Amino acid sequence: MANSLRGEVVKLYKNLLYLGRDYPKGADYFRRRLKAAFLKNKDETDPEKIKQLIARGEFVVKELEALYFLRKYRAMKQRYYSDDKP
């Protein structure tokens, strides 16, 4: 694997590890699943396949961010607006 791709993979792993701290099922659960996913593809040498895997990982990052924003939005909405309909 080229060094530039290795750097991108490490950056993606660290970013996902950081985002996993707030995962609903717990940080330990997320960390185990993340490690398993990265170890499953550790022997990949084809640069195009690695780029596809990185793109998939970045998609997961965006989905996690959307999940967290939605959770924050729901908490704020619940805090400031009542569910009582007149």
Side-chain angles (χ1 to χ4, degrees):
M1 173 170 41
N3 284 337
S4 63
L5 290 178
R6 179 176 168 76
E8 286 184 47
V9 170
V10 170
K11 180 180 165 187
L12 177 64
Y13 185 81
K14 286 182 179 182
N15 193 10
L16 283 166
L17 198 58
Y18 176 78
L19 287 173
R21 295 180 313 156
D22 297 328
Y23 195 69
K25 289 189 176 182
D28 290 332
Y29 172 81
F30 186 85
R31 190 177 308 116
R32 284 192 306 267
R33 298 280 309 262
L34 178 66
K35 186 175 180 179
F38 272 76
L39 286 176
K40 182 176 111 178
N41 297 307
K42 74 176 184 172
D43 295 325
E44 190 62 53
T45 56
D46 181 29
E48 290 304 315
K49 178 70 174 170
I50 295 171
K51 288 178 185 176
Q52 288 176 351
L53 292 168
I54 290 171
R56 185 172 181 213
E58 290 171 352
F59 175 77
V60 170
V61 167
K62 290 178 185 175
E63 289 293 316
L64 282 172
E65 289 173 345
L67 173 74
Y68 297 155
F69 285 133
L70 181 62
R71 188 173 65 185
K72 286 181 183 179
Y73 170 76
R74 287 181 176 162
M76 295 296 284
K77 185 177 176 184
Q78 182 181 15
R79 190 173 297 148
Y80 292 108
Y81 297 104
S82 65
D83 289 336
D84 300 333
K85 302 287 184 194

Coordinates of all heavy atoms in Angstrom, one line a residue:
M1 N 0.9 -1.2 0.0 CA 0.0 0.0 0.0 C 0.9 1.2 0.0 O 1.9 1.3 0.7 CB -0.9 0.0 1.2 CG -1.7 1.2 1.4 SD -3.0 1.1 2.7 CE -2.3 0.3 4.0
A2 N 0.5 2.2 -0.8 CA 1.3 3.4 -0.9 C 1.2 4.2 0.4 O 0.2 4.1 1.1 CB 0.8 4.3 -2.1
N3 N 2.3 4.9 0.7 CA 2.3 5.7 1.9 C 1.1 6.7 2.0 O 0.6 6.9 3.1 CB 3.6 6.4 2.1 CG 4.7 5.4 2.5 OD1 4.4 4.4 3.1 ND2 6.0 5.8 2.2
S4 N 0.8 7.3 0.9 CA -0.3 8.3 1.0 C -1.6 7.6 1.3 O -2.4 8.2 2.1 CB -0.4 9.0 -0.4 OG -0.8 8.1 -1.4
L5 N -1.9 6.4 0.8 CA -3.1 5.7 1.2 C -3.0 5.2 2.6 O -4.0 5.2 3.3 CB -3.3 4.5 0.2 CG -3.7 4.9 -1.2 CD1 -3.8 3.6 -2.1 CD2 -5.0 5.7 -1.2
R6 N -1.8 4.8 3.1 CA -1.7 4.4 4.5 C -2.1 5.6 5.4 O -2.8 5.4 6.4 CB -0.3 3.9 4.7 CG -0.1 3.5 6.2 CD 1.3 2.9 6.3 NE 1.7 2.8 7.7 CZ 1.3 1.8 8.5 NH1 0.4 0.9 8.0 NH2 1.7 1.7 9.8
G7 N -1.6 6.7 5.1 CA -1.9 7.9 5.9 C -3.4 8.2 5.9 O -4.0 8.5 6.9
E8 N -4.1 8.0 4.7 CA -5.5 8.2 4.7 C -6.3 7.2 5.5 O -7.2 7.5 6.2 CB -6.0 8.2 3.2 CG -5.7 9.4 2.4 CD -6.2 9.3 1.0 OE1 -7.4 8.9 0.9 OE2 -5.5 9.5 0.0
V9 N -5.8 6.0 5.5 CA -6.4 4.9 6.2 C -6.3 5.1 7.7 O -7.3 5.0 8.5 CB -5.9 3.5 5.8 CG1 -6.3 2.4 6.8 CG2 -6.2 3.2 4.4
V10 N -5.1 5.5 8.1 CA -4.9 5.8 9.6 C -5.7 7.0 10.0 O -6.3 7.0 11.1 CB -3.4 6.1 9.8 CG1 -3.1 6.6 11.2 CG2 -2.6 4.8 9.6
K11 N -5.8 8.0 9.2 CA -6.6 9.2 9.5 C -8.1 8.8 9.6 O -8.8 9.3 10.5 CB -6.4 10.3 8.4 CG -7.2 11.5 8.6 CD -6.9 12.5 7.4 CE -7.9 13.6 7.4 NZ -7.8 14.4 6.2
L12 N -8.6 8.0 8.7 CA -10.0 7.5 8.7 C -10.2 6.7 10.0 O -11.2 6.9 10.7 CB -10.3 6.7 7.5 CG -11.7 6.0 7.4 CD1 -12.7 7.1 7.3 CD2 -11.7 5.1 6.2
Y13 N -9.3 5.8 10.4 CA -9.4 5.0 11.6 C -9.5 5.9 12.8 O -10.4 5.7 13.7 CB -8.3 4.0 11.7 CG -8.4 3.1 12.8 CD1 -9.2 1.9 12.7 CD2 -7.7 3.3 14.0 CE1 -9.3 1.0 13.7 CE2 -7.9 2.4 15.1 CZ -8.7 1.3 14.9 OH -8.8 0.4 15.9
K14 N -8.6 6.9 12.9 CA -8.6 7.8 14.1 C -9.9 8.6 14.1 O -10.5 8.8 15.2 CB -7.4 8.7 14.0 CG -6.1 8.0 14.4 CD -5.0 9.0 14.4 CE -3.7 8.3 14.7 NZ -2.6 9.3 14.8
N15 N -10.4 9.0 13.0 CA -11.6 9.8 12.9 C -12.8 9.0 13.4 O -13.6 9.4 14.2 CB -11.8 10.4 11.5 CG -12.9 11.4 11.5 OD1 -13.4 11.9 12.5 ND2 -13.3 11.8 10.3
L16 N -12.9 7.8 12.9 CA -14.0 6.9 13.3 C -13.9 6.5 14.7 O -14.9 6.4 15.4 CB -14.0 5.6 12.4 CG -14.5 5.8 11.0 CD1 -14.2 4.6 10.1 CD2 -16.0 5.9 11.1
L17 N -12.7 6.3 15.2 CA -12.5 6.0 16.6 C -13.0 7.1 17.5 O -13.6 6.9 18.5 CB -11.0 5.7 16.9 CG -10.6 4.9 18.2 CD1 -11.3 3.6 18.2 CD2 -9.1 4.8 18.2
Y18 N -12.7 8.4 17.1 CA -13.1 9.5 17.8 C -14.6 9.6 17.8 O -15.3 9.9 18.8 CB -12.5 10.8 17.2 CG -13.0 12.1 17.8 CD1 -12.5 12.5 19.0 CD2 -13.9 12.9 17.2 CE1 -12.9 13.7 19.6 CE2 -14.4 14.0 17.8 CZ -13.8 14.4 19.0 OH -14.3 15.6 19.6
L19 N -15.2 9.4 16.6 CA -16.7 9.5 16.5 C -17.4 8.4 17.3 O -18.5 8.5 17.8 CB -17.1 9.4 15.1 CG -16.9 10.7 14.2 CD1 -17.2 10.4 12.8 CD2 -17.7 11.8 14.7
G20 N -16.7 7.3 17.5 CA -17.3 6.1 18.2 C -17.5 6.3 19.7 O -18.2 5.5 20.3
R21 N -16.9 7.4 20.2 CA -17.1 7.6 21.6 C -18.5 7.8 22.0 O -18.9 7.5 23.1 CB -16.3 8.9 22.1 CG -14.8 8.7 21.9 CD -14.0 10.0 22.3 NE -14.7 11.2 21.8 CZ -14.6 12.4 22.3 NH1 -13.9 12.6 23.4 NH2 -15.2 13.4 21.7
D22 N -19.3 8.4 21.1 CA -20.7 8.7 21.5 C -21.7 7.7 20.8 O -22.9 8.0 20.8 CB -21.1 10.1 20.9 CG -20.2 11.2 21.7 OD1 -19.9 11.0 22.8 OD2 -19.9 12.2 21.0
Y23 N -21.2 6.6 20.4 CA -22.1 5.6 19.7 C -23.1 5.1 20.7 O -22.8 4.8 21.8 CB -21.2 4.5 19.2 CG -21.9 3.6 18.2 CD1 -22.3 4.1 16.9 CD2 -22.3 2.3 18.5 CE1 -22.9 3.3 16.0 CE2 -23.0 1.5 17.6 CZ -23.3 2.0 16.3 OH -24.0 1.2 15.4
P24 N -24.4 5.0 20.2 CA -25.5 4.6 21.1 C -25.2 3.2 21.8 O -25.7 3.1 23.0 CB -26.7 4.5 20.2 CG -26.4 5.4 19.1 CD -24.9 5.3 18.9
K25 N -24.6 2.3 21.2 CA -24.4 1.0 21.9 C -23.1 1.0 22.7 O -22.8 -0.1 23.3 CB -24.3 -0.1 20.8 CG -25.7 -0.4 20.2 CD -25.6 -1.7 19.3 CE -26.9 -2.0 18.8 NZ -26.9 -3.2 18.0
G26 N -22.4 2.0 22.8 CA -21.2 2.1 23.6 C -19.9 2.2 22.8 O -19.8 1.7 21.7
A27 N -19.0 2.8 23.4 CA -17.7 3.0 22.7 C -16.9 1.7 22.6 O -16.3 1.5 21.5 CB -16.8 4.0 23.5
D28 N -17.0 0.8 23.5 CA -16.3 -0.5 23.4 C -16.9 -1.3 22.3 O -16.1 -2.0 21.6 CB -16.4 -1.3 24.8 CG -15.6 -0.6 25.9 OD1 -14.6 0.1 25.5 OD2 -16.0 -0.8 27.0
Y29 N -18.2 -1.3 22.2 CA -18.8 -2.1 21.1 C -18.4 -1.5 19.7 O -18.0 -2.3 18.8 CB -20.4 -2.0 21.2 CG -21.1 -2.5 20.0 CD1 -21.4 -3.9 19.9 CD2 -21.6 -1.7 19.0 CE1 -22.1 -4.4 18.9 CE2 -22.3 -2.2 17.9 CZ -22.5 -3.5 17.9 OH -23.2 -4.0 16.8
F30 N -18.4 -0.2 19.6 CA -18.0 0.4 18.4 C -16.5 0.1 18.1 O -16.1 -0.2 16.9 CB -18.2 1.9 18.4 CG -18.0 2.6 17.1 CD1 -19.0 2.7 16.2 CD2 -16.7 3.2 16.9 CE1 -18.7 3.3 15.0 CE2 -16.5 3.8 15.7 CZ -17.5 3.9 14.7
R31 N -15.6 0.2 19.1 CA -14.2 0.0 18.9 C -13.9 -1.4 18.4 O -13.1 -1.6 17.5 CB -13.5 0.3 20.2 CG -12.0 0.3 20.0 CD -11.2 0.6 21.3 NE -11.7 1.8 21.9 CZ -12.3 1.9 23.1 NH1 -12.5 0.8 23.9 NH2 -12.7 3.0 23.6
R32 N -14.6 -2.4 19.0 CA -14.5 -3.8 18.6 C -14.9 -4.0 17.1 O -14.2 -4.6 16.3 CB -15.3 -4.7 19.5 CG -14.6 -5.0 20.8 CD -15.3 -6.1 21.5 NE -16.8 -6.0 21.6 CZ -17.4 -5.4 22.6 NH1 -16.7 -5.0 23.7 NH2 -18.7 -5.3 22.6
R33 N -16.0 -3.4 16.7 CA -16.5 -3.6 15.4 C -15.6 -2.8 14.4 O -15.3 -3.3 13.3 CB -17.9 -3.0 15.3 CG -19.0 -3.7 16.1 CD -19.5 -5.0 15.5 NE -19.9 -4.9 14.1 CZ -21.2 -4.7 13.7 NH1 -22.1 -4.6 14.6 NH2 -21.4 -4.6 12.4
L34 N -15.1 -1.7 14.8 CA -14.2 -0.9 13.9 C -12.9 -1.7 13.7 O -12.5 -1.8 12.5 CB -13.9 0.5 14.5 CG -13.0 1.4 13.8 CD1 -13.6 1.8 12.5 CD2 -12.7 2.6 14.6
K35 N -12.4 -2.2 14.7 CA -11.1 -2.9 14.6 C -11.3 -4.2 13.7 O -10.4 -4.5 12.9 CB -10.6 -3.3 16.0 CG -9.2 -4.0 16.0 CD -8.7 -4.3 17.4 CE -7.4 -4.9 17.3 NZ -6.8 -5.2 18.6
A36 N -12.4 -4.9 13.9 CA -12.7 -6.1 13.1 C -12.8 -5.7 11.6 O -12.3 -6.4 10.8 CB -13.9 -6.7 13.6
A37 N -13.5 -4.6 11.3 CA -13.6 -4.2 10.0 C -12.3 -3.8 9.3 O -12.1 -4.2 8.1 CB -14.6 -3.0 9.9
F38 N -11.4 -3.1 10.0 CA -10.2 -2.7 9.5 C -9.2 -4.0 9.4 O -8.5 -4.1 8.4 CB -9.5 -1.6 10.3 CG -9.9 -0.3 9.9 CD1 -11.2 0.2 10.2 CD2 -9.1 0.5 9.1 CE1 -11.6 1.5 9.8 CE2 -9.5 1.8 8.7 CZ -10.7 2.3 9.1
L39 N -9.3 -4.9 10.3 CA -8.4 -6.0 10.2 C -8.9 -7.0 9.1 O -8.0 -7.7 8.5 CB -8.4 -6.8 11.6 CG -7.6 -6.2 12.7 CD1 -7.8 -7.0 14.0 CD2 -6.2 -6.1 12.3
K40 N -10.2 -7.0 8.8 CA -10.7 -7.8 7.7 C -10.1 -7.4 6.4 O -9.8 -8.3 5.5 CB -12.2 -7.7 7.7 CG -12.9 -8.5 6.6 CD -14.4 -8.4 6.7 CE -14.8 -7.7 5.5 NZ -16.3 -7.5 5.5
N41 N -9.7 -6.1 6.2 CA -9.2 -5.7 4.9 C -7.7 -5.3 5.0 O -7.3 -4.5 4.1 CB -10.1 -4.4 4.5 CG -11.5 -4.8 4.2 OD1 -11.7 -5.7 3.5 ND2 -12.4 -4.1 4.8
K42 N -7.0 -5.7 6.0 CA -5.7 -5.3 6.2 C -4.7 -5.8 5.1 O -3.7 -5.2 4.9 CB -5.1 -5.7 7.6 CG -4.8 -7.2 7.7 CD -4.2 -7.5 9.0 CE -3.9 -9.0 9.0 NZ -3.1 -9.3 10.2
D43 N -5.0 -6.9 4.5 CA -4.1 -7.5 3.5 C -4.4 -7.0 2.1 O -3.8 -7.4 1.1 CB -4.2 -9.0 3.5 CG -3.7 -9.6 4.8 OD1 -2.8 -9.0 5.4 OD2 -4.3 -10.6 5.3
E44 N -5.3 -6.0 1.9 CA -5.7 -5.5 0.6 C -4.5 -4.7 0.1 O -3.9 -3.8 0.8 CB -6.9 -4.6 0.7 CG -7.5 -4.2 -0.6 CD -7.9 -5.3 -1.4 OE1 -8.7 -6.2 -0.9 OE2 -7.5 -5.4 -2.6
T45 N -4.1 -4.9 -1.2 CA -2.9 -4.2 -1.8 C -3.3 -3.4 -3.0 O -2.5 -2.6 -3.5 CB -1.8 -5.2 -2.2 OG1 -2.4 -6.2 -3.1 CG2 -1.3 -5.9 -0.9
D46 N -4.5 -3.7 -3.6 CA -4.9 -3.0 -4.8 C -5.3 -1.6 -4.4 O -6.2 -1.3 -3.6 CB -6.1 -3.7 -5.4 CG -6.6 -3.0 -6.7 OD1 -5.8 -2.4 -7.4 OD2 -7.8 -3.2 -7.0
P47 N -4.6 -0.6 -5.0 CA -4.9 0.8 -4.6 C -6.3 1.3 -4.9 O -6.9 2.0 -4.2 CB -3.9 1.6 -5.5 CG -2.8 0.7 -5.8 CD -3.5 -0.6 -5.9
E48 N -6.9 0.8 -6.0 CA -8.3 1.1 -6.3 C -9.3 0.6 -5.3 O -10.2 1.2 -4.9 CB -8.7 0.6 -7.7 CG -8.0 1.4 -8.8 CD -8.2 2.9 -8.8 OE1 -9.4 3.3 -8.6 OE2 -7.2 3.6 -8.9
K49 N -9.1 -0.7 -4.9 CA -9.9 -1.3 -3.9 C -9.8 -0.5 -2.5 O -10.7 -0.3 -1.8 CB -9.5 -2.7 -3.7 CG -10.3 -3.5 -2.6 CD -11.8 -3.7 -3.0 CE -12.4 -4.5 -2.0 NZ -13.8 -4.6 -2.1
I50 N -8.5 -0.1 -2.2 CA -8.3 0.6 -1.0 C -9.0 2.0 -1.0 O -9.6 2.4 -0.1 CB -6.8 0.8 -0.7 CG1 -6.1 -0.5 -0.5 CG2 -6.5 1.8 0.4 CD1 -4.6 -0.5 -0.5
K51 N -9.0 2.6 -2.2 CA -9.7 3.9 -2.3 C -11.2 3.7 -2.2 O -11.9 4.5 -1.6 CB -9.4 4.5 -3.7 CG -8.0 5.1 -3.8 CD -7.7 5.6 -5.1 CE -6.2 6.1 -5.2 NZ -5.9 6.6 -6.6
Q52 N -11.7 2.6 -2.7 CA -13.2 2.3 -2.5 C -13.5 2.1 -1.0 O -14.5 2.6 -0.5 CB -13.6 1.1 -3.3 CG -13.6 1.3 -4.8 CD -13.9 0.0 -5.5 OE1 -13.9 -1.1 -5.0 NE2 -14.1 0.1 -6.8
L53 N -12.6 1.4 -0.3 CA -12.9 1.1 1.1 C -12.8 2.4 1.9 O -13.5 2.6 2.8 CB -11.8 0.1 1.6 CG -12.0 -1.3 1.1 CD1 -10.8 -2.2 1.4 CD2 -13.3 -1.9 1.6
I54 N -11.8 3.3 1.5 CA -11.7 4.6 2.2 C -13.0 5.4 1.9 O -13.5 6.0 2.9 CB -10.5 5.4 1.7 CG1 -9.2 4.7 2.2 CG2 -10.5 6.8 2.2 CD1 -7.9 5.2 1.7
A55 N -13.5 5.4 0.7 CA -14.7 6.1 0.4 C -15.9 5.6 1.2 O -16.7 6.3 1.7 CB -15.0 6.0 -1.1
R56 N -16.0 4.3 1.3 CA -17.0 3.7 2.2 C -16.9 4.1 3.6 O -17.9 4.4 4.3 CB -17.0 2.2 2.1 CG -18.1 1.5 2.8 CD -18.1 0.0 2.5 NE -19.2 -0.7 3.2 CZ -19.1 -1.9 3.6 NH1 -18.0 -2.6 3.5 NH2 -20.2 -2.4 4.2
G57 N -15.7 4.2 4.1 CA -15.4 4.6 5.5 C -15.8 6.1 5.7 O -16.4 6.4 6.7
E58 N -15.6 6.9 4.7 CA -16.0 8.3 4.8 C -17.5 8.4 4.7 O -18.0 9.3 5.4 CB -15.3 9.1 3.7 CG -13.8 9.3 3.9 CD -13.1 9.8 2.7 OE1 -13.7 10.0 1.6 OE2 -11.9 10.1 2.8
F59 N -18.1 7.6 4.0 CA -19.6 7.5 4.0 C -20.1 7.2 5.4 O -21.1 7.8 5.9 CB -20.1 6.5 3.0 CG -21.6 6.4 3.0 CD1 -22.4 7.3 2.5 CD2 -22.2 5.2 3.6 CE1 -23.8 7.2 2.5 CE2 -23.5 5.1 3.7 CZ -24.4 6.0 3.1
V60 N -19.5 6.2 6.1 CA -19.9 5.9 7.4 C -19.7 7.0 8.4 O -20.5 7.3 9.3 CB -19.1 4.6 7.9 CG1 -19.3 4.4 9.4 CG2 -19.5 3.4 7.1
V61 N -18.6 7.8 8.2 CA -18.4 9.0 9.0 C -19.5 10.0 8.9 O -20.0 10.5 9.8 CB -17.0 9.7 8.6 CG1 -16.9 11.1 9.2 CG2 -15.8 8.8 9.1
K62 N -19.9 10.2 7.6 CA -21.0 11.1 7.4 C -22.3 10.6 8.0 O -23.1 11.4 8.6 CB -21.2 11.4 5.9 CG -20.1 12.2 5.3 CD -20.3 12.3 3.8 CE -19.1 13.0 3.2 NZ -19.2 13.1 1.7
E63 N -22.6 9.3 7.9 CA -23.8 8.7 8.5 C -23.7 8.9 10.0 O -24.8 9.2 10.7 CB -23.9 7.3 8.1 CG -24.3 7.1 6.7 CD -25.7 7.6 6.3 OE1 -26.6 7.3 7.1 OE2 -25.8 8.2 5.3
L64 N -22.6 8.6 10.7 CA -22.5 8.8 12.1 C -22.7 10.2 12.5 O -23.4 10.5 13.5 CB -21.1 8.3 12.6 CG -20.9 6.8 12.7 CD1 -19.4 6.5 13.0 CD2 -21.8 6.3 13.8
E65 N -22.2 11.2 11.8 CA -22.4 12.6 12.1 C -23.8 12.9 12.0 O -24.4 13.7 12.8 CB -21.5 13.5 11.2 CG -20.0 13.4 11.5 CD -19.2 14.1 10.5 OE1 -19.7 14.5 9.4 OE2 -18.0 14.4 10.8
A66 N -24.5 12.4 11.0 CA -25.9 12.7 10.8 C -26.7 12.1 12.0 O -27.7 12.7 12.5 CB -26.4 12.1 9.5
L67 N -26.3 10.9 12.4 CA -27.0 10.2 13.5 C -26.9 11.1 14.8 O -27.8 11.3 15.5 CB -26.4 8.9 13.8 CG -26.8 8.1 15.0 CD1 -28.3 7.6 14.8 CD2 -25.9 7.0 15.3
Y68 N -25.7 11.6 15.0 CA -25.4 12.4 16.2 C -26.2 13.7 16.2 O -26.7 14.2 17.2 CB -23.9 12.7 16.4 CG -23.1 11.4 16.7 CD1 -21.8 11.3 16.4 CD2 -23.7 10.2 17.2 CE1 -21.1 10.2 16.6 CE2 -23.0 9.1 17.4 CZ -21.7 9.1 17.2 OH -21.0 7.9 17.4
F69 N -26.2 14.4 15.0 CA -26.9 15.6 14.9 C -28.4 15.4 15.1 O -29.1 16.2 15.7 CB -26.7 16.3 13.5 CG -25.3 16.9 13.4 CD1 -24.6 16.7 12.2 CD2 -24.8 17.7 14.3 CE1 -23.3 17.3 12.1 CE2 -23.6 18.3 14.2 CZ -22.8 18.1 13.1
L70 N -28.9 14.3 14.5 CA -30.4 14.0 14.7 C -30.7 13.8 16.2 O -31.7 14.2 16.7 CB -30.7 12.8 13.9 CG -32.2 12.3 14.0 CD1 -33.1 13.5 13.4 CD2 -32.4 11.1 13.2
R71 N -29.8 13.1 16.9 CA -30.0 12.8 18.3 C -30.0 14.1 19.1 O -30.8 14.3 20.0 CB -28.9 11.9 18.8 CG -29.2 11.4 20.2 CD -28.3 10.4 20.7 NE -26.9 10.9 20.8 CZ -25.8 10.2 21.0 NH1 -25.9 8.9 21.2 NH2 -24.7 10.8 21.1
K72 N -29.1 15.0 18.8 CA -29.0 16.3 19.4 C -30.3 17.1 19.1 O -30.8 17.8 20.0 CB -27.8 17.1 19.0 CG -26.5 16.6 19.6 CD -25.3 17.4 19.1 CE -24.0 16.9 19.6 NZ -22.9 17.7 19.2
Y73 N -30.7 17.1 17.9 CA -31.9 17.8 17.5 C -33.1 17.3 18.3 O -33.9 18.1 18.8 CB -32.1 17.7 16.0 CG -33.5 18.2 15.5 CD1 -33.7 19.6 15.4 CD2 -34.5 17.3 15.2 CE1 -34.9 20.0 15.0 CE2 -35.7 17.8 14.8 CZ -35.9 19.1 14.7 OH -37.2 19.6 14.3
R74 N -33.3 16.0 18.3 CA -34.4 15.5 19.1 C -34.4 15.8 20.5 O -35.4 16.1 21.1 CB -34.5 13.9 18.9 CG -34.9 13.5 17.5 CD -35.0 12.0 17.4 NE -35.5 11.7 16.1 CZ -35.3 10.5 15.6 NH1 -34.7 9.5 16.2 NH2 -35.8 10.2 14.4
A75 N -33.2 15.8 21.1 CA -33.1 16.2 22.5 C -33.4 17.6 22.8 O -34.2 18.0 23.7 CB -31.6 15.9 23.0
M76 N -33.0 18.5 21.9 CA -33.3 19.9 22.0 C -34.8 20.2 21.8 O -35.4 20.9 22.5 CB -32.5 20.8 21.0 CG -31.0 20.7 21.3 SD -30.6 21.5 22.8 CE -30.8 23.2 22.4
K77 N -35.4 19.5 20.8 CA -36.8 19.6 20.5 C -37.6 19.2 21.7 O -38.6 19.8 22.1 CB -37.2 18.8 19.3 CG -38.6 19.0 18.8 CD -38.9 18.3 17.6 CE -40.3 18.4 17.2 NZ -40.7 17.7 16.0
Q78 N -37.2 18.1 22.3 CA -38.0 17.5 23.4 C -37.8 18.5 24.6 O -38.8 18.6 25.4 CB -37.4 16.2 23.8 CG -38.1 15.5 24.9 CD -37.5 14.1 25.2 OE1 -36.4 13.8 24.8 NE2 -38.2 13.3 26.0
R79 N -36.7 19.1 24.8 CA -36.4 20.0 25.9 C -37.2 21.3 25.8 O -37.7 21.8 26.8 CB -35.0 20.3 26.0 CG -34.5 21.0 27.2 CD -33.0 21.1 27.3 NE -32.4 19.8 27.4 CZ -31.2 19.5 26.8 NH1 -30.5 20.4 26.2 NH2 -30.7 18.3 26.9
Y80 N -37.4 21.8 24.6 CA -38.0 23.1 24.5 C -39.4 23.1 23.9 O -40.1 24.2 24.0 CB -37.1 24.0 23.6 CG -35.8 24.3 24.3 CD1 -34.6 23.7 23.9 CD2 -35.8 25.1 25.4 CE1 -33.4 24.0 24.5 CE2 -34.6 25.4 26.0 CZ -33.4 24.8 25.6 OH -32.2 25.1 26.2
Y81 N -39.9 22.0 23.4 CA -41.2 22.0 22.8 C -42.0 20.9 23.5 O -41.5 19.8 23.6 CB -41.2 21.8 21.3 CG -40.5 22.9 20.6 CD1 -39.2 22.8 20.1 CD2 -41.2 24.2 20.4 CE1 -38.6 23.8 19.4 CE2 -40.5 25.2 19.7 CZ -39.2 25.0 19.3 OH -38.6 26.0 18.6
S82 N -43.2 21.2 23.8 CA -44.1 20.1 24.4 C -44.7 19.3 23.3 O -44.9 19.8 22.2 CB -45.1 20.7 25.3 OG -46.0 21.5 24.6
D83 N -45.1 18.1 23.6 CA -45.7 17.2 22.6 C -47.2 17.4 22.7 O -47.9 16.7 21.9 CB -45.4 15.8 22.9 CG -43.9 15.5 22.5 OD1 -43.4 16.2 21.7 OD2 -43.3 14.5 23.1
D84 N -47.7 18.2 23.6 CA -49.2 18.4 23.7 C -49.7 19.2 22.5 O -49.2 20.3 22.1 CB -49.5 19.2 24.9 CG -49.1 18.5 26.2 OD1 -49.0 17.2 26.1 OD2 -48.8 19.2 27.2
K85 N -50.7 18.6 21.8 CA -51.3 19.3 20.6 C -52.6 19.9 21.1 O -53.4 19.3 21.7 CB -51.6 18.2 19.5 CG -50.4 17.5 19.1 CD -49.5 18.4 18.2 CE -48.3 17.5 17.7 NZ -47.3 18.2 17.2
P86 N -52.8 21.2 20.8 CA -54.0 21.9 21.2 C -55.2 21.4 20.4 O -55.3 20.9 19.5 CB -53.8 23.4 21.0 CG -52.5 23.5 20.2 CD -51.9 22.1 20.2

